[in-house]
Amino acid sequence: MKRILLIPVGGTICTALTGHGTRAVYESAGLQLKSDFLSSESPFAAQIEIDTAENLMILSENMTPECWDRMLSVYREKTAQQSYDGVILAHGTDTLAYSASLLAMLLADTDIPIFLVSSCLPLSSPKANGTDNFRCAAECIGYGIEPNVYVPYRNVSDGVMYLHLGSRLRQCAGYSDDFFSVGAVAFASSDKDGYARALACVKERFPSEKRRPAFDGKRVSSLSARVLKLTPYVGMDYDAYDVSRFDAVLHGAYHSGTACAESEIDCRSLRHFADRCARAGVDVYLSPSKAEGEVYESVRLLSKQEACGRPIRFLYGFTDEAAYAKLVLAYSLCETDGERERFLKEECNFERIV
């Protein structure tokens, strides 16, 4: 008999329609997920015991670093009290990639598999994929998948079940119900042989011996909410942002790894903004972008930018979600610039995709 801890975080997989026709999280969602699995035709339906934690009642669009703290607190409390063969967190799709990235790096040294499971629609809908995603997670635990943080998700467009590594998951695009990641494993079939092939592929692509503890046992008491994430667009006005409220800025890049370096109006230039951040003691990171190689002249100008001893720093090779999660962890747990720089350069759970 294997034991699984189910933590209902919230999101669509934990919602039902209200009297106004909207979707809201309801208390007994975890019990429904448990009941649906135990009454299914899964070969593990009679071989898995599921303990259900209290529903955190968080619609995933309302996720914050403070909510992450609550989620982690429940995970740590429950796994400290009992021994489990795996953990499943029922989580919404809107911020799924952010939570998966954070957990994959923070819990890189996990000795049990951890799954984040979502649904494209409430479970009451016949078109929902949440029950299939939950069953996949439970059966992966039953078949003995390598410890790590995963997201199983059956895409709506092709009906294929994919197993994503948490640190590599990308946000679901607008007008879509599909998730993608670099190195995702597709299940050719849902029988024992299909699982054996998929789990062997996971073990080959993401060997457990290459994972490393991110902070050598140091535990975060609260996650930083002082990382500002910005997405560039034409005409961006940097003077709209009060940088004094933050420790770091994660500035996105256009697809060529560029951002506005020169403008007739100072407030529209990242160089001007970086100077203002430096004077306020705020670090600026450009991602995904690199300062070496055949870069554009704008990137060369940004790479030479330095004020008050604080140059613009470049992050390359991560998804946007993993870059943000890694900065949140860096500014939550690292006490010096040197510690942060080492952590950002070192890979702890295959988060570097390039």
Side-chain angles (χ1 to χ4, degrees):
M1 181 71 73
K2 295 206 172 187
R3 297 189 67 201
I4 292 176
L5 171 64
L6 168 60
I7 304 176
V9 178
T12 300
I13 195 168
C14 295
T15 62
L17 287 177
T18 68
H20 334 282
T22 58
R23 298 172 186 170
V25 183
Y26 70 107
E27 286 282 0
S28 57
L31 294 176
Q32 181 181 344
L33 281 165
K34 174 180 176 179
S35 174
D36 288 349
F37 174 74
L38 296 180
S39 61
S40 72
E41 296 180 357
S42 169
F44 292 99
Q47 301 176 31
I48 287 179
E49 180 181 326
I50 300 175
D51 291 346
T52 305
E54 180 182 355
N55 196 327
L56 299 183
M57 306 288 285
I58 303 169
L59 286 170
S60 65
E61 61 269 28
N62 297 332
M63 185 62 69
T64 64
E66 293 78 14
C67 291
W68 275 340
D69 288 336
R70 285 175 55 201
M71 185 173 73
L72 284 163
S73 177
V74 171
Y75 165 81
R76 285 172 175 148
E77 178 186 343
K78 297 295 184 182
T79 53
Q81 292 173 351
Q82 299 285 343
S83 177
Y84 292 100
D85 297 291
V87 176
I88 299 176
L89 296 99
H91 193 291
T93 55
D94 282 355
T95 53
L96 178 64
Y98 286 100
S99 294
S101 295
L102 180 99
L103 292 179
M105 287 182 275
L106 186 60
L107 304 177
D109 58 346
T110 179
D111 57 2
I112 58 173
I114 301 167
F115 290 84
L116 288 89
V117 171
S118 296
S119 182
C120 62
L121 291 167
L123 296 179
S124 58
S125 170
K127 295 182 178 179
N129 59 6
T131 300
D132 290 344
N133 298 337
F134 184 91
R135 176 172 171 172
C136 181
E139 292 182 348
C140 281
I141 295 170
Y143 282 118
I145 192 171
E146 288 281 295
N148 212 319
V149 178
Y150 303 100
V151 177
Y153 191 87
R154 178 172 59 77
N155 278 355
V156 173
S157 63
D158 60 11
V160 176
M161 178 68 73
Y162 293 92
L163 188 60
H164 306 274
L165 192 67
S167 61
R168 295 181 165 211
L169 189 68
R170 299 179 186 274
Q171 283 291 94
C172 182
Y175 309 106
S176 171
D177 285 309
D178 293 346
F179 279 89
F180 299 97
S181 70
V182 174
V185 174
F187 284 81
S189 64
S190 58
D191 58 15
K192 185 176 181 179
D193 288 341
Y195 271 91
R197 289 192 293 271
L199 270 55
C201 191
V202 167
K203 186 173 183 178
E204 179 182 357
R205 292 182 186 178
F206 310 115
S208 58
E209 61 269 19
K210 290 191 175 182
R211 292 185 287 125
R212 52 178 293 141
F215 301 103
D216 296 324
K218 188 189 294 185
R219 284 178 55 168
V220 60
S221 56
S222 62
L223 291 165
S224 174
R226 292 176 59 84
V227 177
L228 174 64
K229 186 175 184 291
L230 298 178
T231 301
Y233 59 88
V234 174
M236 189 170 187
D237 183 351
Y238 291 100
D239 283 353
Y241 301 98
D242 177 7
V243 296
S244 65
R245 298 171 51 202
F246 300 94
D247 295 323
V249 174
L250 175 60
H251 193 293
Y254 295 119
H255 82 96
S256 298
T258 60
C260 180
E262 295 183 296
S263 173
E264 296 175 356
I265 304 174
D266 281 347
C267 68
R268 305 208 186 282
S269 164
L270 175 54
R271 295 172 72 195
H272 164 80
F273 179 64
D275 280 343
R276 186 157 63 88
C277 289
R279 288 193 294 272
V282 178
D283 297 321
V284 176
Y285 296 84
L286 184 62
S287 177
S289 185
K290 53 185 178 180
E292 305 84 18
E294 283 191 18
V295 299
Y296 286 89
E297 180 65 11
S298 56
V299 175
R300 187 190 70 81
L301 291 173
L302 292 171
S303 69
K304 301 295 182 184
Q305 182 76 10
E306 184 167 344
C308 305
R310 292 179 183 269
I312 294 177
R313 307 172 190 208
F314 289 74
L315 292 178
Y316 187 72
F318 311 99
T319 65
D320 286 348
E321 300 80 14
Y324 175 75
K326 197 156 193 181
L327 280 179
V328 168
L329 291 173
Y331 283 85
S332 299
L333 282 167
C334 299
E335 297 176 359
T336 66
D337 283 344
E339 287 180 1
R340 278 190 286 272
E341 187 174 354
R342 283 193 297 274
F343 171 61
L344 292 171
K345 286 182 177 179
E346 292 174 352
E347 186 174 57
C348 54
N349 197 356
F350 303 97
E351 66 271 15
R352 193 176 296 278
I353 60 173
V354 178

